Structures are given as structure tokens and as C-alpha cells.
């Protein structure tokens, strides 16, 4: 059975771990925030190419339309 005195120590360790993860991940989050348009467009174009290569033409054109919409939204900010 767990000693009740160990519970606060456990939560302190969890809080320290969460802080470490946040410090480690934050540069990547900032990079993704500043490059969101490039990331989204790359994904949409790759999706379109894969869909067209696998003969899913309707889905491929949908991906391309999504890319155009992303460009339009990104250009109006």
C-alpha cells in the first residue's frame, strides 16, 4: 500500500517532468507557429500527389483545392 506522504513527492516529480517537456518542446512550437503556412501547404501538396498517383483523382483535386484555399487565407492575413 502506498504511503500518503509519497503523493506530494510524486506530484512534484510530475510537475518537474512537465516543465522539462515544455522547455524542450517550446522552440519547436515557436518554429511551427512561424512556418505554419509552409507546413500546411507541403502536407496538402504531398496529399494531392499521393492521391493522384494512387488514381484517386477526386481526392487529389480536393487536396489541391485545399492548398489554394490555404494560400488564399494565408494571403489575407
Amino acid at each position: 500500500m502506498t504511503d500518503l506522504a509519497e503523493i506530494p513527492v510524486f506530484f512534484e516529480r510530475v510537475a518537474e517532468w512537465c516543465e522539462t517537456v515544455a522547455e524542450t518542446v517550446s522552440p519547436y512550437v515557436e518554429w511551427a507557429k512561424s512556418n505554419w503556412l509552409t507546413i500546411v501547404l507541403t502536407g496538402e501538396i504531398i496529399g494531392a500527389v499521393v492521391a493522384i498517383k494512387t488514381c484517386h483523382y477526386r481526392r487529389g483535386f480536393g487536396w489541391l483545392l485545399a492548398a489554394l484555399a490555404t494560400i488564399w487565407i494565408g494571403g489575407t492575413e
Side-chain angles (χ1 to χ4, degrees):
M1 193 159 151
T2 305
D3 186 20
L4 293 178
E6 294 177 10
I7 293 175
V9 174
F10 171 75
F11 284 119
E12 288 175 10
R13 288 182 184 161
V14 169
E16 289 174 5
W17 181 82
C18 289
E19 289 174 3
T20 304
V21 169
E23 291 172 0
T24 304
V25 172
S26 63
Y28 301 107
V29 171
E30 292 301 320
W31 178 84
K33 283 182 182 178
S34 63
N35 294 314
W36 71 270
L37 184 63
T38 306
I39 295 168
V40 170
L41 278 176
T42 302
E44 290 170 343
I45 291 170
I46 290 172
V49 169
V50 169
I52 290 172
K53 288 276 189 183
T54 58
C55 299
H56 294 99
Y57 299 107
R58 195 178 300 169
R59 186 175 295 149
F61 291 127
W63 279 107
L64 289 175
L65 287 175
L68 289 173
T70 302
I71 292 170
W72 180 72
I73 289 171
T76 58
E77 283 189 357

